Amino acid sequence: MTIQIIKTTPYADQKPGTSGLRKRVPVFSQPNYVENFIQSIFDSLEGLAGQTLVIGGDGRFFNDVAIQKAIRIAAANGFGKVLVGQGGLLSTPAASNIIRHYKAFGGLVLSASHNPGGPDGDFGIKYNVGNGGPAPEKITDAVYARTKVIDSYKALDTPDVDLSKIGTQQVGDMVVEVIDPVKDYAVLMQTLFDFEAIRGLFKSGFTMTFDSMHAITGPYAKAILEGLLGAPAGTVKNGVPSPTFNHGHPDPNLVYCKDMYDLLMTEAGPDFGAASDGDGDRNLIIGKNRFVTPSDSLALLAANAHLAPGYKAGIVGIARSMPTSAAADRVAEKLGIEMHETPTGWKFFGNLLDAGRVTICGEESAGTGSDHVREKDGLWAVLLWLNILAVRKESVDAIVREHWATYGRNYYTRHDYEEVDSAIANALVDNLRGRLSTLPGQVLNGLEVAYADDFTYHDPVDGSTSAKQGIRIGFKDGSRIVLRLSGTGTVGATLRVYLEQYEPPNGNHDLDVQRALEPLVGITEDLAGIKARTGRTEPSVIT
Ligand code: G16
């Protein structure tokens, strides 16, 4: 086995986005495309010789090809050991746990998350650092700079490594250890939650359905929900990971989980429905007759976390991404704990978690998690909900209503305009950005603008600054409009519009969400001219 140094030429489009590099499979399949990116990552790291690297993916199409390339390049670059999930599988939160648990140097997470997979679908590569979380911008910027000038990569000349059996094997000077993808994660969950109480909940006749969407959480959910917690067989649906997600779209939202939503809205439906995405870090929570928005779920989990053994001492702080509703802020205020507003992207929570400033984090994009790992964690959110339900012995609907009666309700929705021409989308945002300073004090559709800015984040831990993170227009009554371009799309631009309106504890909590937010839709259109500029008459996805 020899180490080969192979000449290559740079690709201009390898800038990591919100969560690593995400492109269509045909893009990743270009000669040396994967190799260039992985070598650029390794070139941007210091001190990797002899260290351990974790590699795992969500099993999507191209996962197997990319893993073998990654192993060859890791061996040639001097890693001492690679830990890889059996079959190349690791959910994103499990990968984060493995990195932390085995004190690895870092990890390669192969996934395009909730995006569809398949030969024409999406793929992605993300580097996570030693704390288990996505690399901070300092590293992703260095990787991008390297991709622009790379002229060779190193790879060990070796046949494909057999990832089907648990155990260790020698690959050149490097050890490859194939591990059970589920075991360590299941152990971690048992340290956080009252499994006995949740077992009791299922024994009492509580019914649940969990949709793994033919993606990575199937094995995890079956082992934990049906295995350790005694939920009846069949509770986990679509539990076998498929490279194409059974030709589906593994995004746990009300569009792609509509059947489950409809079922939960009937009396005959189960008490609780949940789902997770392609790589297992997102979650969807629906109780009987009650969909819980991700923003509300964050607030509810934060308010009730002390009911789970892992958080019984109380939480020290909460962080949410800027576009996430302010529901959690009210919980933090009541608890008298720190509240942080960060840019979109789980990587921005890492410093706060490492510094012990926050315990629970969440995003409107169906992500919730805590300091147990450094990624959002779909099953963790489901288990915390189950723990709360087991202790409170009330329905999801009753718990949500009680929460609103205490803290008020943040009506919230997100309107996405997908695959918009990038130049048009950028012009729309630039134009609005240019007019922001004129907005404060103006009365729009009866609402007075309190502030209008382009969000800049100052990381309180390392002092770094991240500018241009999204346009915020806040109104005197607590309503808010946020506009930003997604950093995870792979074709054109996705314009996201986030709308929020606050209704106090004694207000009306029973309005139709879209109806309640109609005035803000009107203001957004007046300000940004989405219809006129993009030609779209309505959003592609409403969540
Ligand atoms: C990633 C990030 C999240 C972010 C989401 C959407 O999630 O980890 O922090 O909220 O993308 O980002 P954007 O609005 O830029 O598309 P995932 O689940 O795709 O890894």
Side-chain angles (χ1 to χ4, degrees):
M1 291 183 201
T2 52
I3 292 176
Q4 300 176 311
I5 298 181
I6 298 158
K7 293 232 158 311
T8 188
T9 46
Y11 285 93
D13 63 347
Q14 296 197 317
K15 184 173 169 50
T18 306
S19 190
L21 185 67
R22 286 190 193 162
K23 301 280 178 194
R24 290 268 150 105
V25 168
V27 176
F28 270 107
S29 305
Q30 297 173 92
N32 296 343
Y33 195 88
V34 168
E35 289 85 345
N36 278 17
F37 190 66
I38 294 178
Q39 183 66 56
S40 297
I41 293 172
F42 294 164
D43 286 346
S44 309
L45 304 174
E46 269 171 35
L48 56 74
Q51 300 274 4
T52 298
L53 180 74
V54 174
I55 309 179
D58 61 10
R60 68 178 57 227
F61 188 88
F62 203 66
N63 202 35
D64 48 354
V65 176
I67 283 198
Q68 296 294 341
K69 289 176 192 272
I71 291 174
R72 288 191 184 95
I73 302 170
N77 277 271
F79 276 100
K81 185 173 186 177
V82 156
L83 281 172
V84 56
Q86 188 176 21
L89 300 180
L90 280 178
S91 77
T92 293
S96 182
N97 179 46
I98 298 287
I99 295 170
R100 296 168 66 78
H101 186 68
Y102 294 100
K103 302 195 171 25
F105 188 75
L108 291 173
V109 181
L110 309 177
S111 170
S113 187
H114 54 290
N115 295 3
D120 297 314
D122 288 348
F123 188 72
I125 302 178
K126 179 172 68 162
Y127 181 70
N128 281 24
V129 293
N131 74 353
E137 280 185 329
K138 197 172 69 171
I139 294 181
T140 55
D141 288 349
V143 172
Y144 179 45
R146 183 69 193 145
T147 63
K148 291 195 276 192
V149 295
I150 187 167
D151 59 6
S152 70
Y153 68 89
K154 286 191 253 177
L156 188 73
D157 183 19
T158 179
D160 278 0
V161 176
D162 180 5
L163 302 179
S164 66
K165 285 185 216 68
I166 287 171
T168 57
Q169 47 199 304
Q170 196 70 32
V171 177
D173 291 334
M174 190 176 82
V175 171
V176 173
E177 182 173 357
V178 178
I179 56 171
D180 182 331
V182 177
K183 212 166 106 195
D184 292 307
Y185 180 83
V187 168
L188 176 64
M189 291 302 114
Q190 290 170 82
T191 67
L192 300 174
F193 302 118
D194 187 343
F195 271 46
E196 198 49 51
I198 304 174
R199 266 194 291 272
L201 180 70
F202 282 118
K203 270 205 196 108
S204 74
F206 174 88
T207 50
M208 162 180 189
T209 183
F210 182 87
D211 189 352
S212 286
M213 306 189 87
H214 306 277
I216 191 69
T217 51
Y220 294 85
K222 275 193 195 153
I224 295 172
L225 297 175
E226 295 182 9
L228 295 168
L229 291 171
T235 298
V236 177
K237 305 271 185 320
N238 306 321
V240 179
S242 139
T244 62
F245 309 114
N246 203 30
H247 305 286
H249 195 139
D251 191 350
N253 62 26
L254 295 184
V255 177
Y256 302 111
C257 293
K258 180 155 190 324
D259 289 352
M260 182 200 283
Y261 174 82
D262 289 344
L263 181 66
L264 266 290
M265 294 305 122
T266 65
E267 270 318 301
D271 299 308
F272 188 62
S276 190
D277 69 331
D279 63 331
D281 57 2
R282 296 186 174 207
N283 71 86
L284 171 73
I285 301 293
I286 311 177
K288 196 190 280 291
N289 294 317
R290 173 62 57 201
F291 161 62
V292 187
T293 67
S295 293
D296 273 353
S297 186
L298 170 66
L300 279 145
L301 292 180
N304 291 282
H306 61 279
L307 300 176
Y311 308 95
K312 67 172 188 290
I315 57 175
V316 297
I318 309 172
R320 64 163 171 85
S321 67
M322 181 275 282
T324 305
S325 97
D329 302 31
R330 300 177 197 286
V331 175
E333 198 183 341
K334 186 157 185 204
L335 293 174
I337 57 175
E338 286 191 28
M339 182 74 220
H340 296 270
E341 185 178 39
T342 61
T344 295
W346 205 262
K347 60 187 175 224
F348 292 103
F349 295 138
N351 279 345
L352 295 167
L353 290 163
D354 284 352
R357 307 262 307 249
V358 301
T359 309
I360 286 193
C361 309
E363 297 187 277
E364 51 66 38
S365 57
T368 345
S370 85
D371 56 0
H372 67 292
V373 289
R374 293 294 180 273
E375 289 277 7
K376 55 190 185 278
D377 189 342
L379 259 176
W380 170 89
V382 173
L383 292 169
L384 181 48
W385 262 103
L386 287 172
N387 197 142
I388 293 165
L389 292 168
V391 174
R392 288 189 54 169
K393 302 190 195 324
E394 292 168 86
S395 69
V396 172
D397 184 49
I399 291 173
V400 169
R401 286 184 166 282
E402 193 260 354
H403 187 91
W404 290 339
T406 307
Y407 298 93
R409 177 175 183 183
N410 290 68
Y411 282 102
Y412 187 86
T413 191
R414 187 178 95 189
H415 292 187
D416 290 343
Y417 298 81
E418 294 176 336
E419 298 190 18
V420 175
D421 179 272
S422 294
I424 291 175
N426 281 311
L428 184 153
V429 172
D430 287 346
N431 181 283
L432 183 56
R433 188 183 287 127
R435 287 180 288 132
L436 290 178
S437 60
T438 65
L439 296 181
Q442 283 193 36
V443 177
L444 309 172
N445 215 349
L447 297 178
E448 186 178 343
V449 178
Y451 64 89
D453 64 8
D454 195 347
F455 180 54
T456 296
Y457 179 58
H458 303 283
D459 187 315
V461 180
D462 69 9
S464 62
T465 294
S466 302
K468 289 195 171 176
Q469 296 295 327
I471 290 173
R472 311 187 288 185
I473 301 166
F475 298 89
K476 283 253 159 82
D477 71 342
S479 302
R480 192 177 69 148
I481 297 169
V482 171
L483 265 100
R484 61 178 282 279
L485 298 180
S486 156
T488 57
T490 55
V491 175
T494 295
L495 173 67
R496 301 205 197 282
V497 180
Y498 313 78
L499 306 167
E500 170 178 6
Q501 188 226 307
Y502 179 64
E503 193 70 25
N506 56 1
N508 185 351
H509 300 151
D510 291 314
L511 296 172
D512 173 77
V513 176
Q514 297 304 320
R515 181 72 51 84
L517 295 165
E518 247 164 31
L520 294 177
V521 173
I523 296 174
T524 308
E525 189 50 39
D526 290 347
L527 286 175
I530 297 173
K531 282 185 193 158
R533 284 175 177 269
T534 68
R536 303 288 177 87
T537 51
E538 53 185 39
S540 349
V541 177
I542 294 179
T543 53

